[in-house]
Amino acid sequence: MNEHFWLVCHTKPRCEKKFAALLTAEKFEHYLPLIDSVRQYATQTKRFTKPLFPGYVFANIPREKK
C-alpha cells in the first residue's frame, strides 16, 4: 500500500521557507501557508510574505513498508 500521512514539522525561527525549499528539493509534498504583509518605514514601504504559522511546516510523508 502506498499510504501517506501528514506531519507537523517544527523549524528554527524564520527558517520555514528554507525548510520548504529543502522538502521540494527532496520531492516531498508540503504545505506552508503564507500571508502578505506590508510594513511602512519612515521613507519606504516594504511588501513581503510571512508564514501563517511561524515555526511550522506541514509535510506529507510516505509510510514505509515493513
Side-chain angles (χ1 to χ4, degrees), residues 14-22 32 34 48-51 57:
R14 297 170 52 164
C15 291
E16 300 89 357
K17 291 180 186 177
K18 185 179 283 190
F19 183 68
L22 289 172
L32 176 60
L34 299 173
F48 59 94
T49 58
K50 62 182 183 178
V57 176

Side-chain angles (χ1 to χ4, degrees), residues 4 19 26 35 37 42 48:
H4 291 75
F19 183 68
E26 295 294 325
I35 56 174
S37 182
F48 59 94

Side-chain angles (χ1 to χ4, degrees), residues 28-39:
F28 285 110
E29 183 182 357
H30 66 281
Y31 179 62
L32 176 60
L34 299 173
I35 56 174
D36 292 326
S37 182
V38 178
R39 298 288 298 211

Side-chain angles (χ1 to χ4, degrees), residues 46-65:
K46 296 278 187 174
R47 292 183 157 271
F48 59 94
T49 58
K50 62 182 183 178
L52 182 60
F53 305 109
Y56 296 97
V57 176
F58 304 95
N60 191 2
I61 307 296
R63 189 179 305 244
E64 295 181 358
K65 295 180 184 178

